Every structure is written in structure tokens, then in C-alpha cells.
Amino acid sequence: MTRSPEPNRKRQRVDRRQQHSGESASTSTIMTRSRSRSTAQPLQANAAVPAPLAAVHEPGSSVSSKGAQTDFGDESEVLESLQDSVVLTSKMLSELGSDQDVISKLGEAFSEPCTLARSFPQADALWAVDCPVDAADVRAAYSFIFENTSTEVHDELQRLTVDAINTMNAEPCDEHDIQMSAVLIMLLNPKITEYVHGDSTPVFPELCSAIMNQPSSQRTSLMQYFATSDAAPNTRESLPYTAVAGVRTIPDEQLLGSDSEQASFGRYVGIFQLYVTQEMVKAAQRVARPAAAGGEPVTQKVSLHGLSTCSLLAVVQCMALINSYNNTHKMVSYTTFYNDAVNEHIDIKDDVPRFRMPDGVSFCGYPFLLSPTTKSEIIRIESVILMRTELQDSFFRAMFSGVTCPYLVLEVRRDNLVRDTLYQLDLKFSQDLRKQLKVRFVGEEGVDEGGVQKEFFQLIVRDVFSSKYGIFRASENSHFYWFRPLVAPGKDALEEIRLTGQLIGLAVYNAVILDIHLPPAMYKKLLGVPVTRADLREVDPELHHGLMQLLNLTPDELEFLERTFEVEYEDLGELHTHELIPDGAQTLLTADNRNLFIDKYVDFVFNSSCEQQFAEFKGGFDRICGSSYVRYMRPQELELLVCGCSDLDFAALERSTIYDGGYTKSTVVIQYFWQVVSEFTDELKRKLLFFATSSDRVPIGGLSKLHFVIAKNGGDSDRLPTSHTCFNVLLLPEYSTLDKLRERLLTAIHNSEGFGMI
């Protein structure tokens, strides 16, 4: 669940309004600003002062840095007292008699950024503390201009906007916070992403450059304006941009309710997303191959390096600033920043090598734009490049120092998977681990072109998480595994834990999806993201519920518990005690320290109790993936990369399946096949996936991303279906009846372990 940067802000506003309503207008001190610096000058309450600078002084609280001290009575008095200094409002525009009057008034307002900033003041002085611009009034003004005036006015507005942006970039102004109001006003122009210079150079990147050139504190103020300008009670507008074909707008479920700070922030993210989408679509169209006779042009992939002519880099850098603010304040879902056009048209093969260059410009450097599917493809290409490099190096080394194997080969026995694998990996050098993996089961004829290694991972993961090794445990109410607390982990246990980390790293490196049940906290810790109380719910729901119940107990009830800052846990049948804080055995749990107790208990579960175990686990994982693009992923994305998607959408698989050997989607036996599969339970569907691909996991992006082929394997017969798991090919005889196909298929998928030569 997302939250605003100050969870109690709305409560504070309510308190202010209740206090404010009981007070009368009085003489007070108002802050004004000079152009060179902010200064405090005592004025009368009825003196004219720009509304963006007005703020409310609350008894017993500090004065906001955005404004100054004053108490206002009725809001109409505020507007009246500020009327002389306000440059432009929608009401002023609507009262003008001609287009020339409108042009004249716009020319006055846009004469310089600081003048524009004094337009459209927020009438509600309480909300002006958070954002001095009345976003609803700005939109009303733009709506009036585009709906009621001539193209001459529209062209003049564009020219004035361009001049204002040029002024911001060419003539630095000390009143940076004032300029942020001007930036906000220009961003609310629904046509801002369409404006161009006479030579067709886009204007929007120059506005982004102006934002990036501001001091850090003022860029932060602009982010706060994004979060609050549309949250004001007088703001009830739709998205500040128009939807165009091919542009993904922000779904309502990614915004935490209308008229909220989250929705406000998301709408401004949408402005930048719109521009990036437009430019990516244009760039893809520019490089499209000519259409064949009667066909459509074939679009090509685009790299950020190749888009330097449209200055898209400045916009993406500005989005990075917004994303950074969102990471801290959790305004909208991180998925809001995924850009469909970038993910569709990105030239990954060009972007990945450039990303590794010291001065390379690449979309890979802005991972917040990229979906998990795109990131997994980046990691796959990275791995392929390294595998090819190691293959070439092996051939060169063979010329001078004897024959070396160009692959990472593991020969293992099915009944001794863990020890065989551990022993062989320990003998490998780091460069060997970057070779392509080949697995051979002793006594079996299968040749590993991908399918054997997939089954190997499935089996060894099942083994290493089983109770016989005792290094992981799962709560009775949770299907996730976590480290078992150990007083002094033995050498064998630590080796097995390191092996588990290496196995996950190898699976990622070789693009194999695992049937593994690790909690989100594990992926957070692998990426250096702090764990929270909420993460405990996945690991041990009962413990999490019990700790949260402590917050609801009265002081007397807590005293009755007589609980100290100690934790008891079991290791090899023996009960051990751990002090959560120094002298914890003598520290009683009280209402004053219960939050500390909860935090220390959570820290014990995720850190203190498994410090050695996790260090070995992470060391094994980092040995394979420590320098890969994995470190740019989010924990949720890494979980998808390791475990795949959970959605068994076989309708999507049916739509994307390829047919070979004479079969088509209209062949009778193919229709029988999909009818039978549609009747399968989820368990049987997973068995079918395992039979055909050696993995029952769904790749990132869903089953539509699985390259699945059904090929004809002779006419009607009693032969069972077979598969080339290395290539995801199901070999299906042309059975004569539906019942026969069902019986033969079920027999095959229930007996699908082991490999042979066909």
C-alpha cells in the first residue's frame, strides 16, 4: 500500500481548518521575498503580497519554509488583498473582450518566469503552504484559450512559452522556488509535449533541462507540488493530458483514489510518460523498413543513443528525479514508471554494450522505465555475450595450454545430486562459472540442449530445501522457506547454503526458472533493500500477528505478560535464548518500548539469527550474478526472474503456439488437444508444462512468451506423446479420438521423469 510523504498531513489540515474557522482576521506579519534572497519584512495583513508566498502561522508549530506567518479570515478577503499583485487567472482571461486582449494579457504574464509564477494563486491559504499554484485554475485558463480563442492566440501562447523556457535556461534567477511555480504552470499546458521550435526541435526537453538546472532543494519542492497541486479541494480535474493512440495512460488501480496526493503525483508522471511514448513511436516509425507490396512498414528497434537528436535524454533524466522522489515517499506504484513504448521498441542488443561503456548512453541506465520482461532479456543478452567470450577464450587457451572444456559441465547422479554438485562447483574457477551450463545425469543418454539442465535445477532445488538437510524451514501457515536459526552453523551446512545461492545464480545466468519458495525479504536482502515488519507476515504469519497484537494491549496487560527482551529458539532439539538488546533479560516489555521490541524481534528473525547463513547464501549468488544487471532490479522483479509468473493462462499459450509437421490450429487432433487441456486442473497443467519443457514454471510476461511448438509425430497409433524439452517441442501423434488423446496424454505426463534418446 502506498502512502503520502507525510501520513498525518491531511489530519493536520483538518486541525488547521477547525482552528482557523474560530479565529478572526487580525494584523500579522507577512513574509515577502526580494529577487536576490528571501527576507522577512513586517507588513500589514491587508498589504498586497503574491499569493504563492502566503502561508499560515499555526500556534505551537514551526513556520513552513514555503511561506510566511499570517492569519487570514474568509478566503475572499485573501483574494481581494492579493488582487493587485496577481498577474493572471482564468477569470481575468474570460472577462477580456478580444483575442488581442488575451494575447496582451498572456504577454504580460509570460514576460519572465518570475512574473508567470505570480499567476493563478492558490486561494486557500492552507493549501498554498503545500503548493502555491491553483492547478484547477490553470487548467481552466488553458481550456478557455484552446476552446474559445483563435489559432493566433494558440501560436502566441506557444511562442511565449518557448521564450519563458529559454529565459529560464539562459538567465539564472535567484528566486528558484518562484520559478518552480512557473514550471508547474507550463507543465499543466495540455499541449506542452507537442511544442516545437521553427526547426522542429522539441521544446519539452528544454523545460526538463530547466528543471534539472535548479538547486536540489527546489527540485524537491517541485516534486512536492506534483503531489499536492491536484489534491486541493478545488481541484477536480481529469488527467492533464489527452490520450492518444498507442499511449498508455495510468490505470486507476495504480493511483490511490481520485483527488488524492497519490493521484496528483501520478498525473504529472503521466505528462513525462506521454512525451517519452510519443518520441519512441516517432523514432520507431522513422527507422521503419519500407512496406512490402500491400503490407505495412516494418518497425525497427531504437536505442537511447540514437535518439540524441530529440534530446530525450533530458526528459529521461528528469523522470529519474521523479522516480527517486517516489522511491522515498511511495506516492505511486513503481510500475507507473514502466513505459510500454520503450519496452516495445528498445534496441536491447545495442543498448546493453553501450551501457557497459564508461560514457555510454543507454536505456539500461534508467531501469525504472523497463518492465521485468525487458530486464530479463537484458540479463539474457549479458549472459550470452559472456558465454561467447568464454567459449572463444577456451579455444585460444587450448591452442597454447592444452584442451580446455568450453562449457561448465556437471555430471551428477540422481540419488546424490547435492553432494555431487557441491563438489564439482567447488573445483571450478570463476571464469568457468560464466560458461554455458551442460548437465549430464550419470547412466542416461540425454544430451543437454537446455532441457536436461531445467530438470536438474528442479530436482536439486527440491532436494536442498527438503527437511533432510535442515538448513531451511517453513512455517506451518506459510509456504515460504527461511533460514533455520543455528547457534554455530557447521561447515557442511554453510557449504550447502552457499551451494543454494550459487544454484539460484546459475539458474538466473542460464535463464532457467525455478520452483522455489523464498519470501520477498530474501530478494530484498540480496539487493540491499531493508526489510520491514510487513515482511515478517510472509515468513511467519503467526509470529507477525502476535507482535502486532502487542500494539493493541493496554499498559496493564503488557505488565501482566512479564515479557523481557529475549527470544527463545530451538536448535537440534535444544532450547536457546537470545537477548534482543544489551541486558535484555532484565528489560521488561512496556507500552513505551513495545515498538523497539517489535523492531528488534524482526531484526533477529531477518538478520541476527541467520547472519552467517545469509552471508554464505549471498556470497554464492553474487559469485555468479554480482556484476550482472540483476543489481538494477527491484526485489519484486528479481523474484519474477527467479520464480517466473504464477498466471497459468493457457488461452494465451494456445494463441501463441506454433504448429509444425503438417498440423495447423484447425487440425482436428489439435482441437482435441486444447479441449482436453482446458479441462485440466492447475496441477495437471503444470505437469504438462514440465513434460513438454522440463519446467512447470511460467516465464516472465506469461505463457505467451513461451516458444511452444506442437509437431506431428506420425498418424494414429498407440504411441505416447513425447517431447524435445530442449526446444519446448511436443511431439503428438494424430490420434483418431478425443478419449484416446486424453488417455495417452495423461499417461505421458504422469511418467515424465528421466531422459533418453529418441
Side-chain angles (χ1 to χ4, degrees):
M1 181 175 179
T2 57
R3 57 183 184 274
S4 64
E6 298 177 29
N8 63 342
R9 180 184 291 166
K10 294 182 179 179
R11 178 67 259 172
Q12 291 172 345
R13 290 181 182 132
V14 172
D15 293 342
R16 292 182 204 167
R17 293 178 185 278
Q18 291 174 344
Q19 177 190 39
H20 175 70
S21 63
E23 298 176 352
S24 59
S26 61
T27 303
S28 61
T29 302
I30 297 179
M31 299 281 283
T32 61
R33 302 180 192 269
S34 67
R35 185 172 177 82
S36 59
R37 68 183 189 276
S38 299
T39 59
Q41 301 176 3
L43 295 175
Q44 296 300 313
N46 59 357
V49 62
L53 307 181
V56 175
H57 170 64
E58 299 177 72
S61 65
S62 60
V63 180
S64 169
S65 61
K66 297 178 187 174
Q69 306 176 29
T70 184
D71 283 319
F72 291 108
D74 188 82
E75 291 178 0
S76 61
E77 296 179 18
V78 179
L79 288 176
E80 183 178 350
S81 66
L82 300 173
Q83 195 65 39
D84 293 338
S85 62
V86 174
V87 179
L88 184 64
T89 65
S90 61
K91 186 173 184 296
M92 291 179 182
L93 284 176
S94 64
E95 292 174 347
L96 296 175
S98 67
D99 284 357
Q100 289 304 315
D101 291 337
V102 173
I103 290 175
S104 176
K105 192 63 178 177
L106 290 174
E108 178 187 351
F110 281 82
S111 58
E112 61 176 83
C114 291
T115 305
L116 179 61
R118 292 177 172 84
S119 303
F120 310 105
Q122 174 57 255
D124 188 326
L126 298 172
W127 282 90
V129 174
D130 295 314
C131 180
V133 176
D134 186 341
D137 196 41
V138 177
R139 290 202 185 93
Y142 283 126
S143 178
F144 172 81
I145 291 171
F146 292 121
E147 294 177 7
N148 298 285
T149 63
S150 65
T151 55
E152 181 183 1
V153 177
H154 305 170
D155 293 342
E156 183 64 14
L157 175 61
Q158 176 174 337
R159 187 190 68 78
L160 292 169
T161 302
V162 172
D163 288 347
I165 295 172
N166 290 339
T167 300
M168 291 184 68
N169 283 312
E171 301 177 12
C173 172
D174 291 333
E175 294 182 279
H176 299 287
D177 49 345
I178 298 296
Q179 289 202 358
M180 291 298 94
S181 295
V183 168
L184 190 70
I185 292 171
M186 288 187 281
L187 280 173
L188 288 170
N189 184 338
K191 296 185 180 295
I192 187 64
T193 60
E194 303 173 16
Y195 285 170
V196 295
H197 293 286
D199 60 356
S200 298
T201 304
V203 171
F204 191 71
E206 297 177 5
L207 178 58
C208 293
S209 296
I211 294 173
M212 298 304 296
N213 290 335
Q214 299 298 313
S216 175
S217 60
Q218 301 312 318
R219 296 199 300 265
T220 300
S221 292
L222 181 62
M223 300 302 103
Q224 294 169 349
Y225 294 172
F226 287 173
T228 56
S229 65
D230 281 348
N234 59 339
T235 302
R236 298 291 185 268
E237 300 296 321
S238 59
L239 294 177
Y241 55 85
T242 55
V244 297
V247 176
R248 181 173 73 98
T249 58
I250 300 173
D252 291 340
E253 57 269 20
Q254 292 185 12
L255 305 176
L256 298 189
S258 59
D259 308 322
S260 68
E261 294 178 350
Q262 291 79 14
S264 174
F265 193 85
R267 290 165 185 162
Y268 287 97
V269 174
I271 298 173
F272 293 87
Q273 288 280 41
L274 175 63
Y275 180 82
V276 172
T277 297
Q278 290 173 337
E279 290 303 317
M280 286 297 295
V281 172
K282 291 177 185 176
Q285 292 172 344
R286 284 196 299 268
V287 298
R289 293 203 303 266
E296 296 183 356
V298 180
T299 58
Q300 299 293 294
K301 299 298 183 180
V302 178
S303 68
L304 184 58
H305 174 79
L307 290 172
S308 57
T309 54
C310 72
S311 303
L312 187 61
L313 182 60
V315 182
V316 174
Q317 289 173 337
C318 205
M319 288 191 69
L321 170 69
I322 302 172
N323 177 69
S324 177
Y325 183 88
N326 186 65
N327 288 340
T328 302
H329 297 88
K330 312 298 182 189
M331 301 304 301
V332 295
S333 167
Y334 64 89
T335 60
T336 303
F337 288 85
Y338 292 160
N339 187 282
D340 289 350
V342 170
N343 287 290
E344 180 181 354
H345 299 296
I346 180 176
D347 187 353
I348 299 179
K349 293 182 180 179
D350 181 71
D351 263 36
V352 170
R354 290 189 182 278
F355 177 62
R356 294 302 179 185
M357 297 177 183
D359 56 349
V361 177
S362 166
F363 278 118
C364 297
Y366 303 92
F368 56 87
L369 292 171
L370 307 178
S371 68
T373 304
T374 301
K375 289 173 182 171
S376 68
E377 184 66 13
I378 291 171
I379 293 170
R380 188 191 67 80
I381 289 177
E382 273 187 334
S383 300
V384 168
I385 292 173
L386 288 173
M387 288 176 185
R388 287 176 179 172
T389 301
E390 289 300 324
L391 184 63
Q392 293 170 353
D393 289 348
S394 294
F395 289 135
F396 282 116
R397 284 194 293 267
M399 295 172 61
F400 301 101
S401 59
V403 177
T404 59
C405 183
Y407 302 105
L408 171 61
V409 179
L410 298 178
E411 294 190 23
V412 294
R413 294 165 292 177
R414 285 185 179 270
D415 58 355
N416 201 29
L417 277 177
V418 173
R419 301 313 300 178
D420 284 355
T421 304
L422 179 60
Y423 174 75
Q424 292 178 61
L425 287 179
D426 275 348
L427 296 178
K428 303 297 182 183
F429 295 105
S430 295
Q431 63 265 28
D432 293 327
L433 299 177
R434 291 194 290 268
K435 297 176 181 177
Q436 184 178 354
L437 177 65
K438 298 284 186 180
V439 177
R440 187 173 77 85
F441 287 106
V442 175
E444 298 183 22
E445 298 177 323
V447 177
D448 189 6
E449 293 296 335
V452 179
Q453 66 176 255
K454 284 190 283 187
E455 183 176 4
F456 161 76
F457 278 112
Q458 293 280 69
L459 297 177
I460 195 170
V461 163
R462 184 193 308 166
D463 253 14
V464 81
F465 281 93
S466 66
S467 58
K468 71 178 180 180
Y469 288 101
I471 54 180
F472 294 96
R473 69 175 183 181
S475 167
E476 293 181 358
N477 298 318
S478 170
H479 64 284
F480 290 116
Y481 286 89
W482 190 252
F483 300 105
R484 185 182 298 277
L486 300 174
V487 177
K491 179 182 177 182
D492 288 347
L494 292 178
E495 286 179 344
E496 289 156 2
I497 292 172
R498 184 175 71 253
L499 171 64
T500 307
Q502 287 180 328
L503 287 172
I504 295 175
L506 280 173
V508 169
Y509 186 71
N510 288 273
V512 177
I513 298 172
L514 300 177
D515 182 12
I516 192 171
H517 302 282
L518 295 174
M522 184 71 82
Y523 301 102
K524 283 187 173 183
K525 285 175 67 68
L526 283 173
L527 296 174
V529 178
V531 294
T532 65
R533 296 177 181 180
D535 294 312
L536 185 60
R537 183 188 300 112
E538 307 292 348
V539 175
D540 194 332
E542 287 186 357
L543 176 59
H544 176 268
H545 177 73
L547 291 176
M548 293 302 101
Q549 283 294 99
L550 294 177
L551 299 174
N552 301 323
L553 298 181
T554 65
D556 290 340
E557 290 171 331
L558 287 172
E559 183 180 354
F560 178 77
L561 290 178
E562 296 183 350
R563 183 66 187 263
T564 59
F565 274 64
E566 291 179 295
V567 175
E568 292 184 346
Y569 64 95
E570 186 178 308
D571 179 17
L572 299 177
E574 295 184 13
L575 198 62
H576 299 271
T577 302
H578 174 82
E579 290 188 330
L580 297 176
I581 60 175
D583 201 26
Q586 307 303 320
T587 305
L588 286 173
L589 174 63
T590 67
D592 293 331
N593 63 20
R594 55 185 163 190
N595 277 297
L596 176 63
F597 177 84
I598 294 172
D599 290 337
K600 289 297 182 180
Y601 206 127
V602 171
D603 180 71
F604 168 75
V605 172
F606 289 124
N607 300 310
S608 305
S609 69
C610 58
E611 185 174 358
Q612 284 184 273
Q613 297 97 304
F614 179 74
E616 290 293 330
F617 182 86
K618 188 176 189 302
F621 180 81
D622 286 346
R623 190 183 181 198
I624 316 296
C625 298
S627 61
S628 77
Y629 197 76
V630 164
R631 65 185 187 273
Y632 294 98
M633 303 186 83
R634 292 179 177 273
Q636 302 92 327
E637 296 169 338
L638 178 56
E639 183 176 5
L640 278 176
L641 182 67
V642 172
C643 303
C645 177
S646 61
D647 185 16
L648 287 172
D649 185 2
F650 267 67
L653 180 63
E654 181 179 355
R655 290 192 296 270
S656 62
T657 295
I658 299 170
Y659 302 99
D660 195 14
Y663 281 159
T664 67
K665 64 180 180 180
S666 59
T667 304
V668 174
V669 70
I670 294 299
Q671 294 178 353
Y672 286 164
F673 174 82
W674 290 114
Q675 182 179 341
V676 169
V677 170
S678 67
E679 299 167 358
F680 280 0
T681 62
D682 283 352
E683 181 182 359
L684 285 176
K685 288 178 180 178
R686 291 194 180 279
K687 283 181 176 289
L688 174 61
L689 285 177
F690 184 80
F691 173 74
T693 70
S694 271
S695 173
D696 63 357
R697 311 303 295 173
V698 179
I700 292 181
L703 285 173
S704 62
K705 301 297 182 181
L706 181 66
H707 183 79
F708 184 57
V709 180
I710 301 179
K712 187 174 181 178
N713 191 26
D716 183 28
S717 70
D718 290 333
R719 295 178 61 190
L720 293 173
T722 53
S723 62
H724 290 307
T725 56
C726 301
F727 308 106
N728 301 334
V729 177
L730 175 65
L731 301 173
L732 187 69
E734 193 169 7
Y735 298 116
S736 57
T737 67
L738 176 67
D739 290 338
K740 186 174 183 179
L741 184 147
R742 179 186 291 110
E743 185 272 331
R744 296 282 80 190
L745 183 61
L746 286 173
T747 301
I749 66 177
H750 282 305
N751 299 273
S752 59
E753 192 168 292
F755 289 89
M757 301 296 290
I758 298 178

